mmCIF file of all heavy atoms in Angstrom:
data_model
loop_
_atom_site.group_PDB
_atom_site.id
_atom_site.type_symbol
_atom_site.label_atom_id
_atom_site.label_comp_id
_atom_site.label_asym_id
_atom_site.label_seq_id
_atom_site.Cartn_x
_atom_site.Cartn_y
_atom_site.Cartn_z
ATOM 1 N N SER R 1 50.219 87.186 33.318
ATOM 2 C CA SER R 1 51.062 87.927 32.394
ATOM 3 C C SER R 1 51.689 86.969 31.386
ATOM 4 O O SER R 1 51.859 85.782 31.650
ATOM 5 C CB SER R 1 52.165 88.665 33.162
ATOM 6 O OG SER R 1 51.612 89.612 34.050
ATOM 7 N N LEU R 2 52.094 87.521 30.237
ATOM 8 C CA LEU R 2 52.672 86.692 29.188
ATOM 9 C C LEU R 2 54.043 86.156 29.587
ATOM 10 O O LEU R 2 54.439 85.067 29.206
ATOM 11 C CB LEU R 2 52.784 87.498 27.888
ATOM 12 C CG LEU R 2 51.444 87.912 27.278
ATOM 13 C CD1 LEU R 2 51.663 88.847 26.104
ATOM 14 C CD2 LEU R 2 50.670 86.674 26.828
ATOM 15 N N GLY R 3 54.796 86.933 30.318
ATOM 16 C CA GLY R 3 56.102 86.484 30.784
ATOM 17 C C GLY R 3 56.201 86.723 32.270
ATOM 18 O O GLY R 3 56.061 87.841 32.722
ATOM 19 N N SER R 4 56.438 85.686 33.064
ATOM 20 C CA SER R 4 56.376 85.889 34.513
ATOM 21 C C SER R 4 57.390 85.071 35.305
ATOM 22 O O SER R 4 57.220 84.848 36.482
ATOM 23 C CB SER R 4 54.972 85.556 35.020
ATOM 24 O OG SER R 4 54.639 84.216 34.686
ATOM 25 N N PHE R 5 58.475 84.615 34.650
ATOM 26 C CA PHE R 5 59.456 83.809 35.361
ATOM 27 C C PHE R 5 60.750 84.564 35.658
ATOM 28 O O PHE R 5 61.629 84.035 36.322
ATOM 29 C CB PHE R 5 59.769 82.535 34.567
ATOM 30 C CG PHE R 5 58.580 81.620 34.460
ATOM 31 C CD1 PHE R 5 57.832 81.576 33.297
ATOM 32 C CD2 PHE R 5 58.194 80.821 35.521
ATOM 33 C CE1 PHE R 5 56.739 80.742 33.194
ATOM 34 C CE2 PHE R 5 57.090 79.986 35.425
ATOM 35 C CZ PHE R 5 56.360 79.947 34.261
ATOM 36 N N GLY R 6 60.893 85.778 35.138
ATOM 37 C CA GLY R 6 62.058 86.582 35.460
ATOM 38 C C GLY R 6 63.296 86.273 34.644
ATOM 39 O O GLY R 6 64.361 86.822 34.901
ATOM 40 N N HIS R 7 63.204 85.389 33.621
ATOM 41 C CA HIS R 7 64.375 85.038 32.833
ATOM 42 C C HIS R 7 64.438 85.805 31.511
ATOM 43 O O HIS R 7 65.503 85.922 30.918
ATOM 44 C CB HIS R 7 64.375 83.537 32.525
ATOM 45 C CG HIS R 7 64.334 82.681 33.750
ATOM 46 N ND1 HIS R 7 65.214 82.851 34.796
ATOM 47 C CD2 HIS R 7 63.519 81.654 34.104
ATOM 48 C CE1 HIS R 7 64.950 81.960 35.738
ATOM 49 N NE2 HIS R 7 63.921 81.240 35.351
ATOM 50 N N GLY R 8 63.316 86.301 31.040
ATOM 51 C CA GLY R 8 63.266 86.948 29.730
ATOM 52 C C GLY R 8 64.140 88.176 29.612
ATOM 53 O O GLY R 8 64.560 88.535 28.510
ATOM 54 N N SER R 9 64.444 88.822 30.740
ATOM 55 C CA SER R 9 65.277 90.025 30.691
ATOM 56 C C SER R 9 66.689 89.715 30.213
ATOM 57 O O SER R 9 67.432 90.619 29.809
ATOM 58 C CB SER R 9 65.342 90.677 32.076
ATOM 59 O OG SER R 9 65.955 89.811 33.019
ATOM 60 N N LYS R 10 67.080 88.427 30.237
ATOM 61 C CA LYS R 10 68.426 88.051 29.795
ATOM 62 C C LYS R 10 68.504 87.851 28.279
ATOM 63 O O LYS R 10 69.602 87.750 27.730
ATOM 64 C CB LYS R 10 68.864 86.760 30.501
ATOM 65 C CG LYS R 10 69.007 86.860 32.009
ATOM 66 C CD LYS R 10 70.224 87.661 32.409
ATOM 67 C CE LYS R 10 70.463 87.660 33.913
ATOM 68 N NZ LYS R 10 70.942 86.367 34.426
ATOM 69 N N ALA R 11 67.358 87.749 27.598
ATOM 70 C CA ALA R 11 67.372 87.477 26.159
ATOM 71 C C ALA R 11 68.183 88.503 25.363
ATOM 72 O O ALA R 11 68.973 88.123 24.488
ATOM 73 C CB ALA R 11 65.942 87.390 25.621
ATOM 74 N N PRO R 12 68.058 89.814 25.619
ATOM 75 C CA PRO R 12 68.848 90.774 24.837
ATOM 76 C C PRO R 12 70.351 90.609 25.014
ATOM 77 O O PRO R 12 71.115 90.894 24.090
ATOM 78 C CB PRO R 12 68.369 92.130 25.374
ATOM 79 C CG PRO R 12 66.999 91.864 25.915
ATOM 80 C CD PRO R 12 67.084 90.494 26.493
ATOM 81 N N PHE R 13 70.792 90.139 26.171
ATOM 82 C CA PHE R 13 72.230 89.983 26.402
ATOM 83 C C PHE R 13 72.824 88.911 25.500
ATOM 84 O O PHE R 13 74.009 88.966 25.156
ATOM 85 C CB PHE R 13 72.495 89.646 27.869
ATOM 86 C CG PHE R 13 72.227 90.783 28.810
ATOM 87 C CD1 PHE R 13 70.992 90.911 29.427
ATOM 88 C CD2 PHE R 13 73.192 91.734 29.065
ATOM 89 C CE1 PHE R 13 70.728 91.965 30.286
ATOM 90 C CE2 PHE R 13 72.949 92.793 29.923
ATOM 91 C CZ PHE R 13 71.710 92.914 30.540
ATOM 92 N N SER R 14 72.008 87.924 25.102
ATOM 93 C CA SER R 14 72.515 86.858 24.242
ATOM 94 C C SER R 14 72.828 87.368 22.838
ATOM 95 O O SER R 14 73.574 86.739 22.095
ATOM 96 C CB SER R 14 71.489 85.717 24.152
ATOM 97 O OG SER R 14 70.343 86.109 23.412
ATOM 98 N N LEU R 15 72.274 88.524 22.476
ATOM 99 C CA LEU R 15 72.475 89.085 21.139
ATOM 100 C C LEU R 15 73.527 90.190 21.130
ATOM 101 O O LEU R 15 73.904 90.689 20.083
ATOM 102 C CB LEU R 15 71.142 89.632 20.610
ATOM 103 C CG LEU R 15 70.996 89.812 19.108
ATOM 104 C CD1 LEU R 15 71.074 88.468 18.390
ATOM 105 C CD2 LEU R 15 69.673 90.484 18.770
ATOM 106 N N SER R 16 74.008 90.581 22.287
ATOM 107 C CA SER R 16 74.943 91.701 22.389
ATOM 108 C C SER R 16 76.385 91.227 22.284
ATOM 109 O O SER R 16 76.802 90.296 22.973
ATOM 110 C CB SER R 16 74.747 92.428 23.726
ATOM 111 O OG SER R 16 75.798 93.373 23.940
ATOM 112 N N ALA R 17 77.161 91.891 21.449
ATOM 113 C CA ALA R 17 78.577 91.542 21.271
ATOM 114 C C ALA R 17 79.429 91.997 22.448
ATOM 115 O O ALA R 17 80.593 91.603 22.557
ATOM 116 C CB ALA R 17 79.118 92.158 19.985
ATOM 117 N N ILE R 18 78.866 92.837 23.327
ATOM 118 C CA ILE R 18 79.598 93.256 24.525
ATOM 119 C C ILE R 18 78.791 92.948 25.789
ATOM 120 O O ILE R 18 79.057 93.506 26.848
ATOM 121 C CB ILE R 18 79.985 94.744 24.477
ATOM 122 C CG1 ILE R 18 78.750 95.648 24.321
ATOM 123 C CG2 ILE R 18 80.974 95.019 23.352
ATOM 124 C CD1 ILE R 18 79.065 97.140 24.438
ATOM 125 N N ARG R 19 77.787 92.083 25.660
ATOM 126 C CA ARG R 19 76.961 91.632 26.793
ATOM 127 C C ARG R 19 76.441 92.808 27.619
ATOM 128 O O ARG R 19 76.430 92.781 28.850
ATOM 129 C CB ARG R 19 77.774 90.717 27.702
ATOM 130 C CG ARG R 19 77.906 89.281 27.214
ATOM 131 C CD ARG R 19 77.000 88.346 28.035
ATOM 132 N NE ARG R 19 77.400 86.965 27.865
ATOM 133 C CZ ARG R 19 77.638 86.129 28.857
ATOM 134 N NH1 ARG R 19 77.493 86.502 30.091
ATOM 135 N NH2 ARG R 19 77.996 84.894 28.614
ATOM 136 N N SER R 20 75.980 93.849 26.937
ATOM 137 C CA SER R 20 75.566 95.068 27.641
ATOM 138 C C SER R 20 74.287 95.627 27.038
ATOM 139 O O SER R 20 74.090 95.598 25.819
ATOM 140 C CB SER R 20 76.670 96.129 27.573
ATOM 141 O OG SER R 20 77.866 95.626 28.140
ATOM 142 N N ILE R 21 73.436 96.143 27.920
ATOM 143 C CA ILE R 21 72.157 96.733 27.539
ATOM 144 C C ILE R 21 72.042 98.095 28.215
ATOM 145 O O ILE R 21 72.512 98.292 29.336
ATOM 146 C CB ILE R 21 70.977 95.844 28.003
ATOM 147 C CG1 ILE R 21 71.129 94.420 27.460
ATOM 148 C CG2 ILE R 21 69.641 96.441 27.570
ATOM 149 C CD1 ILE R 21 71.031 94.304 25.971
ATOM 150 N N PHE R 22 71.391 99.036 27.532
ATOM 151 C CA PHE R 22 71.126 100.346 28.127
ATOM 152 C C PHE R 22 69.616 100.576 28.150
ATOM 153 O O PHE R 22 68.943 100.409 27.138
ATOM 154 C CB PHE R 22 71.826 101.446 27.331
ATOM 155 C CG PHE R 22 73.322 101.285 27.317
ATOM 156 C CD1 PHE R 22 73.948 100.638 26.260
ATOM 157 C CD2 PHE R 22 74.093 101.742 28.370
ATOM 158 C CE1 PHE R 22 75.324 100.460 26.251
ATOM 159 C CE2 PHE R 22 75.471 101.573 28.372
ATOM 160 C CZ PHE R 22 76.086 100.930 27.318
ATOM 161 N N TYR R 23 69.116 100.929 29.320
ATOM 162 C CA TYR R 23 67.675 101.127 29.515
ATOM 163 C C TYR R 23 67.380 102.622 29.651
ATOM 164 O O TYR R 23 68.026 103.326 30.433
ATOM 165 C CB TYR R 23 67.204 100.423 30.788
ATOM 166 C CG TYR R 23 67.482 98.944 30.829
ATOM 167 C CD1 TYR R 23 68.557 98.436 31.563
ATOM 168 C CD2 TYR R 23 66.669 98.032 30.147
ATOM 169 C CE1 TYR R 23 68.823 97.078 31.605
ATOM 170 C CE2 TYR R 23 66.924 96.672 30.190
ATOM 171 C CZ TYR R 23 68.007 96.205 30.921
ATOM 172 O OH TYR R 23 68.281 94.853 30.967
ATOM 173 N N LEU R 24 66.390 103.083 28.899
ATOM 174 C CA LEU R 24 65.908 104.460 29.009
ATOM 175 C C LEU R 24 64.391 104.400 29.123
ATOM 176 O O LEU R 24 63.726 103.786 28.284
ATOM 177 C CB LEU R 24 66.297 105.288 27.787
ATOM 178 C CG LEU R 24 65.716 106.703 27.699
ATOM 179 C CD1 LEU R 24 66.270 107.580 28.815
ATOM 180 C CD2 LEU R 24 66.024 107.324 26.341
ATOM 181 N N THR R 25 63.849 104.991 30.161
ATOM 182 C CA THR R 25 62.404 104.948 30.349
ATOM 183 C C THR R 25 61.903 106.282 30.873
ATOM 184 O O THR R 25 62.648 107.032 31.524
ATOM 185 C CB THR R 25 62.020 103.820 31.333
ATOM 186 O OG1 THR R 25 60.593 103.657 31.335
ATOM 187 C CG2 THR R 25 62.479 104.122 32.746
ATOM 188 N N LYS R 26 60.664 106.588 30.567
ATOM 189 C CA LYS R 26 59.999 107.773 31.104
ATOM 190 C C LYS R 26 58.728 107.317 31.804
ATOM 191 O O LYS R 26 57.930 106.585 31.219
ATOM 192 C CB LYS R 26 59.664 108.767 29.991
ATOM 193 C CG LYS R 26 60.899 109.393 29.351
ATOM 194 C CD LYS R 26 60.528 110.453 28.318
ATOM 195 C CE LYS R 26 61.775 111.098 27.735
ATOM 196 N NZ LYS R 26 61.433 112.175 26.755
ATOM 197 N N ILE R 27 58.558 107.742 33.052
ATOM 198 C CA ILE R 27 57.395 107.333 33.830
ATOM 199 C C ILE R 27 56.736 108.555 34.448
ATOM 200 O O ILE R 27 57.360 109.607 34.603
ATOM 201 C CB ILE R 27 57.785 106.343 34.956
ATOM 202 C CG1 ILE R 27 58.719 107.016 35.961
ATOM 203 C CG2 ILE R 27 58.431 105.093 34.367
ATOM 204 C CD1 ILE R 27 58.990 106.184 37.198
ATOM 205 N N LYS R 28 55.474 108.385 34.798
ATOM 206 C CA LYS R 28 54.764 109.448 35.493
ATOM 207 C C LYS R 28 55.113 109.385 36.974
ATOM 208 O O LYS R 28 54.948 108.366 37.623
ATOM 209 C CB LYS R 28 53.255 109.297 35.311
ATOM 210 C CG LYS R 28 52.770 109.577 33.897
ATOM 211 C CD LYS R 28 51.255 109.460 33.792
ATOM 212 C CE LYS R 28 50.779 109.758 32.368
ATOM 213 N NZ LYS R 28 49.303 109.626 32.249
ATOM 214 N N SER R 29 55.622 110.482 37.498
ATOM 215 C CA SER R 29 55.996 110.565 38.905
ATOM 216 C C SER R 29 55.316 111.785 39.499
ATOM 217 O O SER R 29 55.720 112.927 39.245
ATOM 218 C CB SER R 29 57.516 110.677 39.048
ATOM 219 O OG SER R 29 57.893 110.794 40.396
ATOM 220 N N GLU R 30 54.259 111.539 40.257
ATOM 221 C CA GLU R 30 53.418 112.618 40.795
ATOM 222 C C GLU R 30 52.892 113.452 39.633
ATOM 223 O O GLU R 30 52.188 112.955 38.785
ATOM 224 C CB GLU R 30 54.217 113.433 41.817
ATOM 225 C CG GLU R 30 54.655 112.606 43.024
ATOM 226 C CD GLU R 30 55.484 113.399 44.004
ATOM 227 O OE1 GLU R 30 55.893 114.530 43.692
ATOM 228 O OE2 GLU R 30 55.733 112.876 45.108
ATOM 229 N N SER R 31 53.273 114.715 39.538
ATOM 230 C CA SER R 31 52.710 115.572 38.486
ATOM 231 C C SER R 31 53.707 115.833 37.360
ATOM 232 O O SER R 31 53.493 116.708 36.522
ATOM 233 C CB SER R 31 52.277 116.912 39.091
ATOM 234 O OG SER R 31 53.387 117.563 39.700
ATOM 235 N N LYS R 32 54.798 115.073 37.336
ATOM 236 C CA LYS R 32 55.813 115.307 36.309
ATOM 237 C C LYS R 32 56.230 113.992 35.652
ATOM 238 O O LYS R 32 55.838 112.919 36.074
ATOM 239 C CB LYS R 32 57.033 115.998 36.919
ATOM 240 C CG LYS R 32 57.720 115.161 37.989
ATOM 241 C CD LYS R 32 58.929 115.878 38.577
ATOM 242 C CE LYS R 32 59.623 115.002 39.632
ATOM 243 N NZ LYS R 32 60.807 115.679 40.205
ATOM 244 N N ILE R 33 57.022 114.117 34.606
ATOM 245 C CA ILE R 33 57.571 112.965 33.914
ATOM 246 C C ILE R 33 59.015 112.769 34.384
ATOM 247 O O ILE R 33 59.836 113.681 34.309
ATOM 248 C CB ILE R 33 57.537 113.143 32.390
ATOM 249 C CG1 ILE R 33 56.092 113.335 31.904
ATOM 250 C CG2 ILE R 33 58.182 111.951 31.699
ATOM 251 C CD1 ILE R 33 55.202 112.142 32.156
ATOM 252 N N GLU R 34 59.312 111.573 34.884
ATOM 253 C CA GLU R 34 60.661 111.256 35.351
ATOM 254 C C GLU R 34 61.370 110.406 34.303
ATOM 255 O O GLU R 34 60.815 109.450 33.785
ATOM 256 C CB GLU R 34 60.584 110.484 36.673
ATOM 257 C CG GLU R 34 61.939 110.031 37.199
ATOM 258 C CD GLU R 34 61.815 109.166 38.446
ATOM 259 O OE1 GLU R 34 60.785 109.281 39.153
ATOM 260 O OE2 GLU R 34 62.745 108.378 38.713
ATOM 261 N N THR R 35 62.606 110.779 33.975
ATOM 262 C CA THR R 35 63.413 110.033 33.013
ATOM 263 C C THR R 35 64.481 109.239 33.751
ATOM 264 O O THR R 35 65.168 109.775 34.617
ATOM 265 C CB THR R 35 64.087 110.985 32.008
ATOM 266 O OG1 THR R 35 63.079 111.706 31.302
ATOM 267 C CG2 THR R 35 64.922 110.203 30.997
ATOM 268 N N ARG R 36 64.617 107.970 33.400
ATOM 269 C CA ARG R 36 65.619 107.109 34.029
ATOM 270 C C ARG R 36 66.500 106.484 32.945
ATOM 271 O O ARG R 36 65.999 106.070 31.905
ATOM 272 C CB ARG R 36 64.945 105.983 34.824
ATOM 273 C CG ARG R 36 64.098 106.459 35.990
ATOM 274 C CD ARG R 36 63.371 105.301 36.650
ATOM 275 N NE ARG R 36 62.690 105.704 37.886
ATOM 276 C CZ ARG R 36 62.014 104.886 38.670
ATOM 277 N NH1 ARG R 36 61.914 103.600 38.338
ATOM 278 N NH2 ARG R 36 61.433 105.324 39.771
ATOM 279 N N PHE R 37 67.787 106.409 33.223
ATOM 280 C CA PHE R 37 68.733 105.777 32.292
ATOM 281 C C PHE R 37 69.721 104.949 33.091
ATOM 282 O O PHE R 37 70.229 105.391 34.126
ATOM 283 C CB PHE R 37 69.484 106.840 31.490
ATOM 284 C CG PHE R 37 70.549 106.248 30.583
ATOM 285 C CD1 PHE R 37 70.205 105.683 29.367
ATOM 286 C CD2 PHE R 37 71.887 106.271 30.956
ATOM 287 C CE1 PHE R 37 71.180 105.138 28.541
ATOM 288 C CE2 PHE R 37 72.862 105.723 30.138
ATOM 289 C CZ PHE R 37 72.511 105.160 28.925
ATOM 290 N N GLN R 38 70.017 103.729 32.614
ATOM 291 C CA GLN R 38 70.940 102.843 33.319
ATOM 292 C C GLN R 38 71.547 101.859 32.330
ATOM 293 O O GLN R 38 70.848 101.307 31.473
ATOM 294 C CB GLN R 38 70.215 102.054 34.399
ATOM 295 C CG GLN R 38 71.085 101.071 35.180
ATOM 296 C CD GLN R 38 71.646 101.663 36.445
ATOM 297 O OE1 GLN R 38 70.915 101.940 37.368
ATOM 298 N NE2 GLN R 38 72.954 101.873 36.471
ATOM 299 N N GLY R 39 72.843 101.651 32.428
ATOM 300 C CA GLY R 39 73.500 100.617 31.653
ATOM 301 C C GLY R 39 73.718 99.385 32.518
ATOM 302 O O GLY R 39 73.903 99.502 33.734
ATOM 303 N N LYS R 40 73.682 98.209 31.919
ATOM 304 C CA LYS R 40 73.899 96.961 32.650
ATOM 305 C C LYS R 40 74.735 96.029 31.786
ATOM 306 O O LYS R 40 74.450 95.841 30.606
ATOM 307 C CB LYS R 40 72.556 96.302 32.981
ATOM 308 C CG LYS R 40 72.672 95.004 33.783
ATOM 309 C CD LYS R 40 71.288 94.467 34.125
ATOM 310 C CE LYS R 40 71.326 93.195 34.946
ATOM 311 N NZ LYS R 40 69.963 92.713 35.285
ATOM 312 N N SER R 41 75.782 95.458 32.375
ATOM 313 C CA SER R 41 76.671 94.572 31.648
ATOM 314 C C SER R 41 76.863 93.284 32.438
ATOM 315 O O SER R 41 77.179 93.324 33.629
ATOM 316 C CB SER R 41 78.031 95.259 31.433
ATOM 317 O OG SER R 41 78.889 94.447 30.658
ATOM 318 N N ILE R 42 76.635 92.151 31.788
ATOM 319 C CA ILE R 42 76.813 90.849 32.431
ATOM 320 C C ILE R 42 78.056 90.201 31.827
ATOM 321 O O ILE R 42 77.994 89.609 30.740
ATOM 322 C CB ILE R 42 75.575 89.956 32.257
ATOM 323 C CG1 ILE R 42 74.328 90.645 32.826
ATOM 324 C CG2 ILE R 42 75.784 88.615 32.956
ATOM 325 C CD1 ILE R 42 73.046 89.858 32.643
ATOM 326 N N LEU R 43 79.178 90.310 32.487
ATOM 327 C CA LEU R 43 80.436 89.755 32.005
ATOM 328 C C LEU R 43 80.846 88.578 32.889
ATOM 329 O O LEU R 43 80.305 87.510 32.798
ATOM 330 C CB LEU R 43 81.513 90.843 31.980
ATOM 331 C CG LEU R 43 81.200 92.069 31.094
ATOM 332 C CD1 LEU R 43 82.314 93.093 31.180
ATOM 333 C CD2 LEU R 43 80.947 91.659 29.659
ATOM 334 N N GLN R 44 81.809 88.808 33.787
ATOM 335 C CA GLN R 44 82.219 87.802 34.756
ATOM 336 C C GLN R 44 83.055 88.500 35.818
ATOM 337 O O GLN R 44 83.458 89.651 35.653
ATOM 338 C CB GLN R 44 83.014 86.691 34.095
ATOM 339 C CG GLN R 44 84.396 87.102 33.591
ATOM 340 C CD GLN R 44 85.114 85.945 32.952
ATOM 341 O OE1 GLN R 44 84.915 85.650 31.775
ATOM 342 N NE2 GLN R 44 85.973 85.277 33.714
ATOM 343 N N SER R 45 83.304 87.826 36.909
ATOM 344 C CA SER R 45 84.143 88.406 37.952
ATOM 345 C C SER R 45 85.541 88.661 37.391
ATOM 346 O O SER R 45 86.076 87.856 36.623
ATOM 347 C CB SER R 45 84.229 87.460 39.148
ATOM 348 O OG SER R 45 82.977 87.337 39.793
ATOM 349 N N HIS R 46 86.113 89.795 37.775
ATOM 350 C CA HIS R 46 87.447 90.156 37.289
ATOM 351 C C HIS R 46 88.108 91.090 38.297
ATOM 352 O O HIS R 46 87.489 91.503 39.283
ATOM 353 C CB HIS R 46 87.342 90.816 35.907
ATOM 354 C CG HIS R 46 86.467 92.035 35.870
ATOM 355 N ND1 HIS R 46 85.087 91.948 35.752
ATOM 356 C CD2 HIS R 46 86.745 93.370 35.946
ATOM 357 C CE1 HIS R 46 84.569 93.175 35.740
ATOM 358 N NE2 HIS R 46 85.558 94.045 35.862
ATOM 359 N N THR R 47 89.333 91.425 38.053
ATOM 360 C CA THR R 47 90.058 92.330 38.943
ATOM 361 C C THR R 47 89.662 93.759 38.624
ATOM 362 O O THR R 47 89.844 94.224 37.492
ATOM 363 C CB THR R 47 91.578 92.159 38.786
ATOM 364 O OG1 THR R 47 91.929 90.810 39.099
ATOM 365 C CG2 THR R 47 92.309 93.100 39.738
ATOM 366 N N GLU R 48 89.133 94.458 39.591
ATOM 367 C CA GLU R 48 88.698 95.843 39.397
ATOM 368 C C GLU R 48 89.925 96.694 39.069
ATOM 369 O O GLU R 48 90.910 96.690 39.823
ATOM 370 C CB GLU R 48 88.008 96.342 40.669
ATOM 371 C CG GLU R 48 86.959 97.417 40.445
ATOM 372 C CD GLU R 48 87.568 98.789 40.258
ATOM 373 O OE1 GLU R 48 88.596 99.074 40.903
ATOM 374 O OE2 GLU R 48 87.026 99.572 39.476
#
């Protein structure tokens, strides 16, 4: 594969002003199309 070290997924975070990415994907699941959405933010440990 062109990218296979697992680090490339961090590249978009370097360009984000809030260190956050939102993923939206549609995949084939059995006989239907499944939609998935997830936000991910890489900040730092803090008080919840």
Side-chain angles (χ1 to χ4, degrees):
S1 298
L2 295 173
S4 58
F5 295 101
H7 303 309
S9 63
K10 296 288 186 72
F13 290 93
S14 70
L15 201 64
S16 170
I18 58 173
R19 280 255 197 128
S20 302
I21 305 294
F22 299 95
Y23 302 101
L24 173 66
T25 189
K26 293 184 178 182
I27 64 172
K28 290 182 179 179
S29 178
E30 298 178 350
S31 59
K32 62 180 181 180
I33 300 297
E34 176 185 336
T35 300
R36 297 175 172 182
F37 176 80
Q38 179 93 68
K40 182 177 181 179
S41 183
I42 302 178
L43 301 178
Q44 69 180 84
S45 293
H46 57 278
T47 300
E48 208 280 325

